[in-house]
Amino acid sequence: MTGEAPPDALAFAAEPAPGRLARVARAARHPGRALPLLLTRLAGRRVRAAQGVLALIGAHHRLWLGAAAAPPVEPDHELTTHGIERVEPEADGHLRIAEAGTPLLLLAAPGHTLVAGAAAAIAAAFEADPDLHALYGDALIRLRPGGPWLPLLRPAFDVDYLQAVDVVGPVLALRRSSLAGVEAARVPGAAPLDLALDLADRLGPRSLRHLPRLLSLGEVERGGEGGRAESRRARLKAVRRSLDRSGEGETLAFVEPDGVVRLERPLPRSRPLVSLIVPTRDRLDLLRPCIESLRARTDWPAKEILICDNESRDPKTLAYLAELERSGLARVVACPGPFDFAAINNRAASQAAGRVLAFVNNDVEAEAADWLERMVREALRPEIGAVGARLIDGAGRIQHGGIVLGAGGPANHGHRHFPGEASGYLSALRATRAVSAVTAACLVIERDKFARVGGFDTAFAVDFNDVDLCLRLNAAGLRTLFVGGAVLRHRESASRRPSAEAAARHADEIESLKQRWGPLLAQDPHYHPGFDPDLSTHIRLRRGWTGLEPAQPR
């Protein structure tokens, strides 16, 4: 790679990865954990050992392919054979498209070539679905001539994600008839993004689909800092046009230093009360820092704190709870009985006064003071259900980047064990985007939406109650969002003790989740099937992946 920074969406490709010696050195610092993993690997339990190694030394992307990995290119005549005309924006950004001509169009930037079979795959997708108006796929790109190839495995279409990061361009297939009435003037430097957002605004988000198959390959165009600034201005203009078209002209849009476009939707003049709900049983060493961070490092003006006390007995904890109540800093809700996360939080939610509920584990601490404001802005949108945050663990690594179904188990945390400062694959850790589920360690939702689906299901007393809640919200038409700009610390399960009983309960709840949501757990709609399903997320490709396997739009 050159010293020039890659485009914003590819920031992950420039992040340093530890070499083999560095990884060995990290493992050597924990011999008590490394030796059992070695024995596990020697016993043939490859996946289990690999997952343990990630937890020990951290995760990083291992996606690069050799220079000879690119498939053959598509002959030009194949486009004509399948009724496709290639078009490119003119220098002023205009698209000159005649009303009559081939039924399909291919908008592609210079330097990007279709791979063999792409034209047939595109034509077949449009023929099979008359409601499909635009289609994008995957690509192989390289950051320098003759260098290794990097697979760009794109997500299913998501307007929020696309407004934050250009994850669709620069190759977009279109139905010619779908462009009737669309203005020819596009944003120079962001024509595919501008057009994709335009179609989504006019025809609905389901009019654009992703085909999880390689369609193109090409070199990344780099223009230095001047080119990056120009690209950011173009993307911002395209997003601004989309907001104006959709009646969100009052929403602020600006580019963050990392290149992610951030939207600040207007809030009510009178800020709604947020009820922060924190379950606990003793563990003052965790509870006090949590509560203090909610008070001192949470800049939302209208909030109340409810502490769900699950039979605390430690005198110091009881004294602390009593002092909080005496001073009016928190309300303590008695939640006696065996630990039942779902029931405890439901009980507190029923007594909360806020329009918005914020569920926060007692081992979570606020990091950036604007975390709650960022999450509430999204939670107040009528079409949004649960909203989650980026959580950093005690070792400074990603603990939660959204929940991915069917990766490393029935559900796994996205980008688990990556460095805390990582941008994520296609800036997924920084963007606001749709996900299947988020962890209840920090989950914000409007109270009436929570009540509408019946709150947490006590069939999942401890594990997967958050996954189940989000999937029920999704099924009710309320999307789940991950807000990468909301950052907190989470010492995961620091307040829980492992036991044979807990292991048995966990196994039972896995079976319950499979019975209720089995088909969804097979492949997360927001996660690409080309990634290895057994090893965390976004780390390496599925064994045997070529990118040319038959696929259906999603």
Side-chain angles (χ1 to χ4, degrees), residues 1-7 10-11 13-14 143-144 220-228:
M1 283 188 251
T2 68
E4 229 175 273
L10 304 182
L143 304 183
R144 57 178 173 81
V220 170
E221 185 177 336
R222 302 204 195 197
E225 285 304 316
R228 168 179 283 193

Side-chain angles (χ1 to χ4, degrees), residues 237-456:
K237 183 176 181 179
V239 171
R240 182 75 269 163
R241 281 161 56 101
S242 174
L243 293 171
D244 290 341
R245 279 192 302 267
S246 57
E248 293 192 78
E250 294 184 0
T251 296
L252 297 177
F254 52 93
V255 182
E256 298 268 39
D258 57 12
V260 172
V261 175
R262 176 179 170 184
L263 303 184
E264 283 193 354
R265 290 179 167 83
L267 289 165
R269 185 180 301 275
S270 177
R271 301 293 190 259
L273 179 66
V274 177
S275 298
L276 295 149
I277 296 174
V278 182
T280 195
R281 175 184 287 178
D282 294 320
R283 294 306 302 267
L284 184 59
D285 59 318
L286 299 174
L287 180 63
R288 189 193 299 273
C290 171
I291 299 301
E292 293 308 308
S293 77
L294 298 182
R295 293 180 53 218
R297 295 198 298 279
T298 302
D299 59 10
W300 189 259
K303 58 181 183 285
E304 65 167 358
I305 298 175
L306 283 75
I307 300 176
C308 321
D309 180 25
N310 184 216
E311 297 186 348
S312 293
R313 296 174 183 175
D314 173 57
K316 291 183 179 180
T317 301
L318 295 174
Y320 178 66
L321 295 176
E323 177 56 30
L324 289 174
E325 282 212 292
R326 241 186 335 265
S327 60
L329 297 176
R331 282 196 285 145
V332 178
V333 179
C335 298
F339 180 73
D340 185 326
F341 183 92
I344 287 171
N345 280 289
N346 285 344
R347 182 181 180 92
S350 69
Q351 299 186 29
R355 171 184 168 183
V356 178
L357 308 176
F359 298 98
V360 181
N361 278 15
N362 68 343
D363 51 3
V364 167
E365 298 175 35
E367 182 87 353
D370 64 347
W371 70 274
L372 187 55
E373 178 187 321
R374 285 182 178 242
M375 298 177 75
V376 171
R377 284 184 188 274
E378 306 302 335
L380 293 178
R381 294 165 60 185
E383 73 276 18
I384 301 303
V387 178
R390 174 162 44 116
L391 303 182
I392 312 297
D393 68 17
R397 303 186 304 203
I398 297 296
Q399 190 275 328
H400 174 261
I403 289 177
V404 178
L405 306 178
N412 198 1
H413 287 192
H415 288 90
R416 184 74 170 99
H417 304 304
F418 275 77
E421 67 277 7
S423 57
Y425 189 80
L426 297 177
S427 296
L429 288 172
R430 305 295 181 88
T432 293
R433 57 188 178 85
V435 292
S436 288
V438 293
T439 177
C442 182
L443 186 154
V444 175
I445 184 173
E446 283 191 285
R447 184 174 57 177
D448 68 331
K449 296 171 183 172
F450 183 73
R452 195 185 311 172
V453 297
F456 291 111

Side-chain angles (χ1 to χ4, degrees), residues 87-126:
V87 295
E88 294 182 5
E90 298 181 2
D92 61 1
H94 280 62
L95 285 174
R96 309 293 181 186
I97 299 174
E99 290 186 15
T102 60
L104 302 177
L105 300 167
L106 184 75
L107 179 59
H112 288 265
T113 307
L114 290 189
V115 302
I122 291 170
F126 280 99

